[in-house]
Amino acid sequence: MVQTKVTFDSAGLRIAAHLYTPDTPGVGPHPALVVGHPGTSVKEQTSGIYARRMAERGFVTLAFDAAYQGESGGLPRGLEDPAQRVEDFKAAVSYLTTRAEVDSDRIGLLGICASGGYSLAAAGGDHRVKAVATVSGVDVARQFRLGADGTQDPSVFQALLDAAAAARTAAARGEDPGVMTMFPETAEQAGALGGEHGVEGFEYYCTPRGEHERSAKFLAWQSVDKLAFFDAFHAVPLIGPRPLLQIVGSRAVTSWMAVDVHQRATGPKELHWIEGASHVDLYDRKEHIDPAVDKLTDFYHRTLAEAV
């Protein structure tokens, strides 16, 4: 398996990516996968893990940094722009169609966490995508509005909208608008704010377990009002008759969103549970990733076996 640094254009922004190519030079062209990362993450974290593992199974894979994040271009840094995030997936597909080692009729999407929602939206509107799968997939806009478990008091998001409005006013006046910090200073504080899910996010992003210097761990305040109206699941019915696989941990507090997607899907669909895994466990825990990769390999081998 060979890893190559590449770049491509997405609506005028330079996107940085790692292209993983199977070490089988005599075989090809290969089926290919675009692999997207969670919010505030980078390609060197969980999306890179899955991209490498799937390349070892015979797929060309492309793990990229979303616009405004990681090594990709765009200002302000840390902006979570849903429309741009969907465009990034489509631009990644366009890039793969230019690669000689890729069979452009056999391209799939793999979205993790926030990219799970974005990959669904992208696939709904892009018929070049022949299959889509998610791991711990969420609509990050729903998560902000309703909370990870769907029970958040509406006043929480209203307060975030107040802060976002104040930041826009500050920027208009030439003042520093600041940023929305995603994690507190300690795991204990993370637990007080977000329970076990909050602690797990802190342990992944803020400790040697998974932290990376380019994972910003903050959002530009403009992200909040951009997320206010976005619905990643609106286009799910358009994915059919193309196949959809969702892989979810049985302990994931976010799993209600995958159930919602499953009910909306109109084509071949499967909701696959990894027993004992939480949302974040599927980012990097080998005992949970191994069965997830096995399931993904079977799914893409079947659905990308030939052009559909």
Side-chain angles (χ1 to χ4, degrees), residues 56-96:
E56 291 169 355
R57 301 295 183 96
F59 300 89
V60 173
T61 60
L62 185 70
F64 66 94
D65 286 335
Y68 309 102
Q69 301 171 29
E71 293 183 302
S72 291
L75 294 173
R77 303 308 295 169
L79 179 64
E80 188 77 9
D81 183 342
Q84 180 65 53
R85 282 278 244 149
V86 173
E87 183 62 29
D88 291 347
F89 266 101
K90 295 179 181 181
V93 171
S94 294
Y95 174 76
L96 285 177

Side-chain angles (χ1 to χ4, degrees), residues 230-254:
F230 183 69
D231 182 352
F233 300 164
H234 177 73
V236 167
L238 295 175
I239 296 174
R242 294 166 293 162
L244 166 65
L245 167 67
Q246 296 183 96
I247 296 178
V248 185
S250 64
R251 294 177 44 243
V253 299
T254 56

